[in-house]
């Protein structure tokens, strides 16, 4: 269960709550000269960057979604997994325009072992929402928001909404009230408001400021302890 938003005001700010069950996934926060990312340990013993920020302003995140048959993994040169697409974007191997061309030219599928949707954004605030099996949507507006349910075809995931899960509605209400001076502090107010607890608790929250070229992050809901990482 995760929450991701992009806000385009005087600063281009994006925020992400990474909510996972520690018995299912192993992760760690990793920083280098080019990337800040939440590394996910995969069977190849590598911590992959499926959720993170590139120094060039690319921000990519995957969010769990109940799968649909149209997005099933296919080992075909005409297909690309949502995980590979997100990681290439975060690594800076492809641009926003490249990603847009890929979703037009190839069938985007789930990874073999996980059903995810994605939100990619660039330093200019352009947004690409990708839902395997359902399609994609390009946005460039005041703000964009996604959680763990389909935006392209809400009916397809309506029956899988967790009772009481109103993160999207609460975040939307907060974003609606903000103006051009939306700040890192405002972003953390939103992430704190929709944080999760229990087995699928929020393990990492990060906010990226394009103007500052910096990522602010907290771990395990310790919002009183925010760490700042500035790209060199």
């Amino acid at each position: 269960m995760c929450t991701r938003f992009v806000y385009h005001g005087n600063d281009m700010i994006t925020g992400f709550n990474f909510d996972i069950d520690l018995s299912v996934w192993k992760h760690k926060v990793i920083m280098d000269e080019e990337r800040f990312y939440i590394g996910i340990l995969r069977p190849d013993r590598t911590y992959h960057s499926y959720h993170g920020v590139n120094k060039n302003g690319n921000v990519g995140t995957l969010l769990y979604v109940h799968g649909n048959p149209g997005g099933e993994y296919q080992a075909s040169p005409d297909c690309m997994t949502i995980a590979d697409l997100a990681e290439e974007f975060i690594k800076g191997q492809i641009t926003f325009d490249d990603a847009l061309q890929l979703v037009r030219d190839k069938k985007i599928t789930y990874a073999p072992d996980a059903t995810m949707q994605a939100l990619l954004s660039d330093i200019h605030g352009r947004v690409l929402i990708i839902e395997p099996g359902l399609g994609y949507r390009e946005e460039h507006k005041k703000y964009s928001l996604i959680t763990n349910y389909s935006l392209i075809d809400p009916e397809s995931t309506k029956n899988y909404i967790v009772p009481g899960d109103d993160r999207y509605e609460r975040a939307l209400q907060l974003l609606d009230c903000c103006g051009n001076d939306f700040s890192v502090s405002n972003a953390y107010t939103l992430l704190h408001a929709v944080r999760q607890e229990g087995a699928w608790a929020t393990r990492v929250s990060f906010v990226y400021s394009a103007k500052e070229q910096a990522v602010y992050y907290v771990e395990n809901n310790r919002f009183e302890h925010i760490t700042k990482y500035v790209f060199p």
Side-chain angles (χ1 to χ4, degrees), residues 3-49:
T3 302
R4 167 80 191 280
F5 69 87
V6 177
Y7 197 95
H8 195 197
N10 296 329
D11 192 358
M12 201 293 294
I13 291 179
T14 187
F16 180 58
N17 269 354
F18 176 65
D19 313 331
I20 60 161
D21 185 340
L22 296 179
S23 69
V24 179
W25 302 102
K26 186 174 182 180
H27 75 284
K28 65 178 178 179
V29 173
I30 300 173
M31 290 155 280
D32 59 33
E33 290 188 356
E34 298 295 326
R35 288 176 296 164
F36 167 96
Y37 63 99
I38 303 167
I40 304 296
L41 186 63
R42 302 295 283 147
D44 62 2
R45 298 185 179 181
T46 299
Y47 281 92
H48 285 269
S49 53

Side-chain angles (χ1 to χ4, degrees), residues 60-123:
T61 49
L62 296 179
L63 305 94
Y64 169 79
V65 68
H66 185 84
N68 68 83
E72 287 182 357
Y73 173 75
Q74 298 177 38
S76 165
D78 297 325
C79 298
M80 183 177 193
T81 71
I82 191 74
D84 287 343
L85 179 59
E87 185 163 37
E88 288 186 14
F89 186 71
I90 294 164
K91 285 182 173 180
Q93 295 173 341
I94 59 173
T95 65
F96 186 91
D97 290 327
D98 292 334
L100 188 57
Q101 195 61 49
L102 282 167
V103 299
R104 289 170 176 163
D105 293 344
K106 289 183 176 287
K107 180 176 182 178
I108 306 302
T109 71
Y110 301 126
D113 59 349
T115 56
M116 300 284 182
Q117 56 190 11
L119 191 154
L120 310 181
S121 62
D122 71 1
I123 199 165

Side-chain angles (χ1 to χ4, degrees), residues 185-197:
S185 178
N186 295 136
Y188 263 109
T189 296
L190 189 157
L191 293 178
H192 183 269
V194 298
R195 71 194 185 282
Q196 299 294 288
E197 298 177 347

Side-chain angles (χ1 to χ4, degrees), residues 3-9 11-16 57-61 89 96 118-129 139-146 171-172 175 178 182 187 190-191 206-208 210:
T3 302
R4 167 80 191 280
F5 69 87
V6 177
Y7 197 95
H8 195 197
D11 192 358
M12 201 293 294
I13 291 179
T14 187
F16 180 58
N58 286 358
V59 184
T61 49
F89 186 71
F96 186 91
L119 191 154
L120 310 181
S121 62
D122 71 1
I123 199 165
H124 305 294
R126 294 187 296 172
V127 166
L128 184 60
I129 294 167
E139 298 182 349
H140 194 191
K141 54 186 185 178
K142 197 69 174 177
Y143 62 79
S144 296
L145 172 68
I146 192 170
L172 193 65
L175 290 169
C178 296
F182 187 84
L190 189 157
L191 293 178
F206 73 71
V207 174
Y208 168 66

